[in-house]
């Protein structure tokens, strides 16, 4: 009995090592999302094109769509942009959330790099950003036909992420609408 | 004496540094105290190991401004924390709530104390029970007595 007890510290140490080892694979920058499964927050903001027209979540019109948070100051957005262009070509509906940016620069960006967005929400103050819990661009949200957020990606959406995490869910949700 | 003067001077300078970063206007001074408390306890979502008070990242500036706005709107501390938790998840609370995921974390100090006490008692009483008092040492158990008799008998034979 006593001899077995001698191994208890070793067993505890082994258990701790395994827990810590598993932790190594986790990305500490990736926060648990508070909004998956929740409705997209209400907003009333101007379009990027000009202040005259106000857009709101009513403009999502029951479509399955991606909301992509971007800005011209965001370096990773440059890397992500061609992917968004190619998704738009495939018919994926993408709404842009231009986050804490300058209007003129943002328009120039779309002119130079192509515009994959159905329309752009201009969130100069980052108020919708706070409601979404945005903490770094780019971020991408998948919103279903009922306006519920079904998926959130913080960071670049590339081929790997699209195929591994987004595509199947997107097709399932669009399929459910038809 | 010179050392003391240096310490006092550096404390004064440290105070000035703090004062220069926190220029926030409030309609009521009691809000300022709550604001300071909140930004100490809320975590910057981007910079991970800093609270909102310490971080200079744009998101922290925005969230500090938001906390100030919500305070002026008359929200309680609880409501402000919930407001941010609903957007940024529990991660934003440096003082985690007690729930299914965190009860072990909260209970750990008490558990460690109890385990420690248990080990101490075990060690103490085990020693007490093995250290047989001298007056009892004369009395042998029946088995021992038998073995002793046997040994003595064998010795006599030799």
């Amino acid at each position: 009995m006593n001899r077995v007890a001698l191994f208890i510290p070793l067993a505890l140490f082994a258990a701790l090592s395994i827990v810590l080892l598993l932790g190594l694979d986790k990305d500490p920058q990736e926060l648990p999302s508070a909004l998956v499964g929740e409705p997209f927050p209400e907003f009333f903001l101007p379009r990027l094109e000009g202040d005259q027209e106000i857009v709101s979540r009513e403009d999502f019109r029951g479509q399955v769509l991606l909301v992509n948070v971007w800005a011209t100051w965001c370096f990773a957005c440059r890397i992500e942009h061609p992917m968004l262009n190619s998704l738009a070509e495939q018919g994926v509906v993408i709404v842009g959330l231009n986050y804490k940016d300058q209007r003129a620069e943002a328009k120039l960006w779309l002119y130079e790099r192509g515009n994959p967005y159905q329309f752009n929400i201009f969130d100069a103050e980052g108020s919708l950003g706070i409601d979404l819990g945005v903490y770094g661009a780019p971020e991408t949200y998948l919103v279903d036909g009922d306006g519920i957020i079904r998926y959130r990606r913080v960071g670049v959406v590339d081929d790997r992420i699209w195929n591994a995490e987004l595509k199947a869910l997107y097709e399932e949700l669009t399929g459910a609408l038809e | 004496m010179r050392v003391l003067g240096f310490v006092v001077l550096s404390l004064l300078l440290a105070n000035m540094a703090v004062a220069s970063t926190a220029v926030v206007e409030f309609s009521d001074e009691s809000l300022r105290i709550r604001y300071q408390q909140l930004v100490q306890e809320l975590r910057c979502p981007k910079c991970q190991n800093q609270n909102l008070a310490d971080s200079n990242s744009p998101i922290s500036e925005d969230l500090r401004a938001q906390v100030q706005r919500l305070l002026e709107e008359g929200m309680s501390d609880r409501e402000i924390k919930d407001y941010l938790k609903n957007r940024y998840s529990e991660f934003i609370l440096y003082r985690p709530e007690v729930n299914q995921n965190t009860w072990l974390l909260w209970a750990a100090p008490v558990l460690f104390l109890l385990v420690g006490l248990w080990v101490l008692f075990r060690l103490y009483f085990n020693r007490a029970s093995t250290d047989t008092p001298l007056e009892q040492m004369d009395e042998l158990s029946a088995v021992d007595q038998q073995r002793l008799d046997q040994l003595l008998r064998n010795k006599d034979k030799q």
Side-chain angles (χ1 to χ4, degrees):
Chain A
M1 174 53 214
N2 250 339
R3 197 160 275 203
V4 176
L6 284 178
F7 284 95
I8 289 176
L10 180 67
L12 285 177
F13 176 74
L16 186 66
S17 304
I18 289 168
V19 169
L20 293 178
L21 194 68
L22 291 178
L24 280 181
D25 271 343
K26 291 191 173 171
D27 179 3
Q29 292 286 340
E30 205 166 300
L31 270 54
S33 180
L35 276 159
V36 171
E38 299 289 322
F40 196 89
E42 194 164 63
F43 65 93
F44 298 96
L45 287 166
R47 276 176 185 263
L48 175 63
E49 288 70 31
D51 273 330
Q52 294 79 22
E53 203 180 339
I54 302 293
V55 283
S56 71
R57 61 180 179 187
E58 299 302 316
D59 292 281
F60 292 172
R61 291 197 195 89
Q63 309 170 84
V64 177
L65 47 80
L66 298 180
V67 177
N68 177 248
V69 182
W70 67 283
T72 55
W73 47 259
C74 148
F75 185 75
C77 298
R78 273 160 228 259
I79 298 160
E80 189 181 42
H81 204 77
M83 179 66 191
L84 298 175
N85 280 335
S86 94
L87 285 177
E89 269 170 35
Q90 293 165 40
V92 176
V93 181
I94 309 174
V95 170
L97 172 57
N98 186 235
Y99 175 64
K100 299 187 73 180
D101 209 351
Q102 305 291 324
R103 248 198 184 117
E105 284 174 35
K107 284 184 190 170
L108 184 65
W109 166 291
L110 294 179
Y111 176 73
E112 283 175 345
R113 291 164 206 267
N115 185 352
Y117 305 111
Q118 295 272 316
F119 60 88
N120 267 287
I121 308 159
F122 185 61
D123 188 11
E125 303 293 320
S127 60
L128 177 55
I130 286 185
D131 281 341
L132 276 170
V134 169
Y135 61 91
E139 289 193 20
T140 301
Y141 297 79
L142 175 59
V143 182
D144 72 11
D146 299 322
I148 308 290
I149 296 172
R150 299 298 294 267
Y151 171 90
R152 175 199 196 178
R153 163 83 186 155
V154 177
V156 174
V157 172
D158 52 17
D159 270 322
R160 189 179 60 82
I161 295 290
W162 172 256
N163 286 320
E165 297 181 12
L166 258 165
K167 193 168 180 238
L169 187 56
Y170 178 82
E171 282 168 358
E172 184 198 320
L173 293 174
T174 44
L177 268 191
E178 282 152 12
Chain B
M1 197 56 220
R2 193 181 286 173
V3 175
L4 186 68
F6 179 75
V7 168
V8 168
L9 183 67
S10 54
L11 283 176
L12 283 173
L13 288 175
N15 240 352
M16 278 166 63
V18 170
S20 66
T21 54
V23 191
V24 190
E25 297 293 331
F26 284 98
S27 60
D28 184 345
E29 279 304 299
S30 71
L31 293 181
R32 183 186 305 279
I33 298 160
R34 286 172 57 205
Y35 172 83
Q36 299 291 8
Q37 177 81 27
L38 279 167
V39 294
Q40 290 288 339
E41 256 181 52
L42 291 165
R43 186 173 182 181
C44 164
K46 187 71 195 166
C47 15
Q48 307 266 327
N49 289 330
Q50 281 183 304
N51 57 21
L52 290 186
D54 291 339
S55 168
N56 282 324
S57 74
I59 184 71
S60 288
E61 282 170 25
D62 288 357
L63 290 179
R64 283 199 299 265
Q66 190 70 13
V67 168
Q68 184 194 1
R69 212 169 302 141
L70 297 176
L71 278 169
E72 292 287 357
E73 279 175 21
M75 272 198 187
S76 70
D77 291 359
R78 174 84 265 141
E79 285 168 335
I80 292 173
K81 283 185 188 172
D82 283 344
Y83 174 95
L84 288 168
K85 196 188 83 184
N86 290 340
R87 286 159 178 75
Y88 289 90
S89 82
E90 264 181 12
F91 180 91
I92 199 144
L93 307 175
Y94 254 135
R95 190 195 297 259
E97 292 169 339
V98 183
N99 62 26
Q100 216 183 332
N101 290 327
T102 58
W103 67 267
L104 191 60
L105 186 68
W106 279 102
V110 181
L111 287 178
F112 279 126
L113 183 69
L114 289 177
V115 169
L117 286 176
W118 180 71
V119 169
L120 270 180
F121 275 112
R122 277 290 301 261
L123 286 175
Y124 181 75
F125 282 111
N126 268 353
R127 176 165 307 160
S129 63
T130 49
D131 292 351
T132 315
L134 267 180
E135 60 269 25
Q136 287 173 20
M137 285 231 167
D138 298 337
E139 296 170 23
L140 289 173
S141 71
V143 180
D144 286 342
Q145 188 65 55
Q146 219 173 349
R147 279 185 65 204
L148 182 61
D149 291 345
Q150 182 101 44
L151 284 168
L152 287 172
R153 237 176 286 132
N154 285 348
K155 193 180 174 243
D156 289 344
K157 278 182 193 165
Q158 279 172 3

